[in-house]
Amino acid sequence: MGDLSSSGGGGDRKVPKLPIPGKRNILITSALPYVNNVPHLGNIIGCVLSADVYARYCRLRGYNTIYMCGTDEYGTATETKALEENCTPQQICDKYHAIHKEVYDWFNISFDEFGRTSTPQQTEVCQAIFMKLLENNWLSENTMQQLYCDTCKRFLADRLVEGVCPTQGCNYDSARGDQCEKCGKLLNPTELQDPKCKVCRNTPRIRDTNHLFLELPLLKDKLEEYINHMSVAGSWSQNAIQSTNAWLKEGLRPRCITRDLKWGVPVPHDNFKDKVFYVWFDAPIGYVSITSCYTSEWEKWWKNPENVELYQFMGKDNVPFHTVMFPSTLLGTGENWTLMKTISVTEYLNYEAGKFSKSKGIGVFGNDAKDTNIPVEVWRYYLLTNRPEVVSDTLFTWADLQAKLNSELLNNLGNFINRVLSFIAKDPALEDSKGVGYRSVIPEAPGAESHPLTKTFGETVGDYVQQYLEAMEKVKLKLGLKIAMAISGEGNAYLQESKFWKLYKEDYHSCSVVMKTAAGLVYLLACLLEPFMPSFSLEVLKQLNLPPETQVLLSDEKGDIERARRPWEFLPAGHKIGTPEPLFKELTDEEVELFRQKFAGSQADRILKAEAEAKELAEKLQKTEVSDGRVKKQRPTKSAAEAKPKASAEAEISICRLDIRVGLITKAQKHPDADSLYVEEIDVGEGQPRTVVSGLVKYIPLEDMQNRKVCVLCNLKPATMRGIKSQAMVLAASSSDQSKVELVEPPQSACVGERVTFPGFEGSPDDVLNPKKKVWETVQLDLHTDKELVACYKDVPFSTSAGVCKVSSICGGTIR
């Protein structure tokens, strides 16, 4: 689908793409991940994954797009890591570049080039830019005071110093010499209070050393002109604008661009031969040098602002270097550089109770994600739905990952696609098909545009696709994904409203219209979700029996966007689909708890724990008794996680013990022996409907009980009411004086059978609520409707994949 020129870490070498006159040419970069460690999930969503989604979207639209990235390999952090691992900086770079590439390959990141900065091309481009700045008099020499470690016999670069942040009110005691990780303020090492050398932990002293500086104050006018124009034209994200303005407000100062290091790009200047360029001077130039590794005609991308749009993706801590330092560097050369048009910035993704940390090894890292056996499309989906793209951090929790997988991917998206394809795949001649199905062949559906339900549905889908495009063009990736998933929810609602399982025998032609339309929507969803979950889309194409390189869908030139209003046209009648299979697997509470324990603490803690367990096992094996020349077998021991739990006290009584599901009333009638009772048949996603008896005759007309979605409590103990066994209970709200009763209703697009959730309350429901423990009676006291008519447990809304559950008009009502 789209432009499959490469996939993951660079892929096979293809013919390099160059800008095409008259087409939209998009150059995408993501912040170069530093090479001294394994990337964690926060790094992945903050740069490479977000950029990958946008690159894939651009290719689907038919834009001429390249995505450049690679490992940032020079600087202090590499030297420090090499000291820790007792090897050379080059060996560290080689080791971790391979690890990064493997992680990004697994995450299906579609770089056109995944390079590195320790290349001859980096030296060539970096030194050429430096010489232009020197010729144009934008550089100055100055003596600066720098910390020198007498023990290590060296000047200490920024990251080789730690101390107390001098910023008032911060006082973070592990601030680096270049930036405080806590408050984000950029620092000079000499500003730190109580500084320590990171290598030997001794206190360094201040010495004079000569360095070169980029004169940012002299470039201020050119820079501000660029920022004022492009921040508007490129719709910079709000956090990028705020961060940039903060730098400008503080006042630009000359910025040192050299360092007393060995590992870096050498400075081509007679007075500074013993120095290298500062990593924040040379790292952004890596975008250019990596492109030069991709094509010798790299200047057609990087010196072509009239025909190329540059989009850059990064975390919030990188912003000033891309909106102030890098543009100033390029502007200072006087050459016609392609400057950044749009910058997309993420806040931090935090982990469970704290922050992800590469240095401390806290959180889930790229290789960990692969080892969980949770499919890559689930990881990509969860990270992107949780993308911290507004001005606040977001939180990764295992329980939230479980909820989104089970509710949104499994019950919404997977449920819709499997229902459609499984029904089409049935053979009516086979006994287990119950006389329905299309033998895997897409049916004819003439006159679909005049089928009222289908025509309305097509208009709705078309509107959603327009909203999707608007969001994605503005790089609102999270919103784009939400809209695509809403289309899946509409598909489920369309199926339910059509009652296709009944139509097949009652109105075969209409059923064929519905199934051809629904199959078209399956294809449309595969296209819309390809940027987010490419492996999912490939599997859907396989089940549709379409080749992976199926024609791009979202092209304006081919009229594909307008065709979204006629989804019945996407797949031709007579096309034979493949074999339908479930697309997602449920994540259980037991698995979630296992992951939570497995990834608790730091990586170092986890390694020590694993070593201790291995040592304990070895000692047990040594103690194995030997008798009669044979080894006497011992019973294998189980870990605490595997051991069968002992009987424990009764679980806490809370809402998570209730099994409340989205149900669809398929039939309702008066109870034959009770004037005040209805008898309903309710589909709660189990194949067979449940019989439910409700005392609602006095409050809700019979016609209003037909074909509507309701919230159903499914794990009450069945009760016989006037001779009919009621297998569940419909939830309704009543006014304070009991004069008015209204059903609690899920959103129309909520999936039948999905469990209603309560954010913050996680756990599996009881099989059957024990009436002696009064679980329902206890929880029911906290069920009510709020002033916005939302059904709540305490202050937490009844939630579904399509939104919250509400009532029509009763606020402050009691739910029972």
Side-chain angles (χ1 to χ4, degrees), residues 25 35 88 131 168 183 201 225 242 266 321 341 355 389 398 402 458 480 536 546 584-585 632 722:
N25 300 294
V35 79
T88 67
M131 294 305 295
Q168 189 172 0
C183 70
R201 303 310 299 173
E225 181 183 354
Q242 289 174 355
F321 302 106
K341 175 186 177 182
K355 281 189 174 182
E389 60 188 43
W398 288 103
Q402 177 194 28
F536 156 83
L546 295 170
F584 301 101
K585 179 178 173 288
K632 185 177 179 180
R722 292 292 185 93

Side-chain angles (χ1 to χ4, degrees), residues 25-29 302 308-312 326 338-343:
N25 300 294
I26 308 286
L27 170 58
I28 296 171
T29 72
W302 279 99
V308 174
E309 302 169 55
L310 173 59
Y311 285 73
Q312 299 195 290
F326 188 40
T338 302
L339 297 178
M340 176 183 65
K341 175 186 177 182
T342 297
I343 181 171

Side-chain angles (χ1 to χ4, degrees), residues 98-163:
I99 290 172
H100 275 259
K101 185 178 184 304
E102 184 179 353
V103 168
Y104 303 140
D105 281 347
W106 187 78
F107 270 94
N108 287 328
I109 308 299
S110 61
F111 307 115
D112 289 271
E113 183 78 20
F114 184 71
R116 49 201 306 189
T117 58
S118 60
T119 62
Q121 289 91 336
Q122 173 74 357
T123 299
E124 181 183 342
V125 176
C126 196
Q127 290 183 344
I129 288 174
F130 166 78
M131 294 305 295
K132 281 289 183 182
L133 292 170
L134 193 63
E135 289 172 20
N136 295 338
N137 296 316
W138 298 118
L139 300 177
S140 61
E141 296 182 28
N142 211 332
T143 300
M144 63 182 288
Q145 293 185 321
Q146 196 168 335
L147 295 175
Y148 184 86
C149 180
D150 289 303
T151 306
C152 298
K153 305 289 188 208
R154 65 190 293 186
F155 282 103
L156 298 180
D158 303 351
R159 290 186 176 224
L160 281 177
V161 188
E162 281 187 349

Side-chain angles (χ1 to χ4, degrees), residues 616-634:
E616 182 183 352
L617 180 60
E619 289 172 352
K620 285 181 179 178
L621 289 172
Q622 286 179 350
K623 293 176 183 177
T624 302
E625 296 177 25
V626 179
S627 62
D628 298 327
R630 291 175 298 173
V631 177
K632 185 177 179 180
K633 292 183 179 178
Q634 293 182 322

Side-chain angles (χ1 to χ4, degrees), residues 163-167 170-173 175 180 183 185 187 191-193:
V164 178
C165 177
T167 307
C170 179
N171 299 320
Y172 181 55
D173 62 3
C180 175
C183 70
K185 185 174 177 61
L187 302 170
E191 296 175 314
L192 291 174
Q193 298 169 7

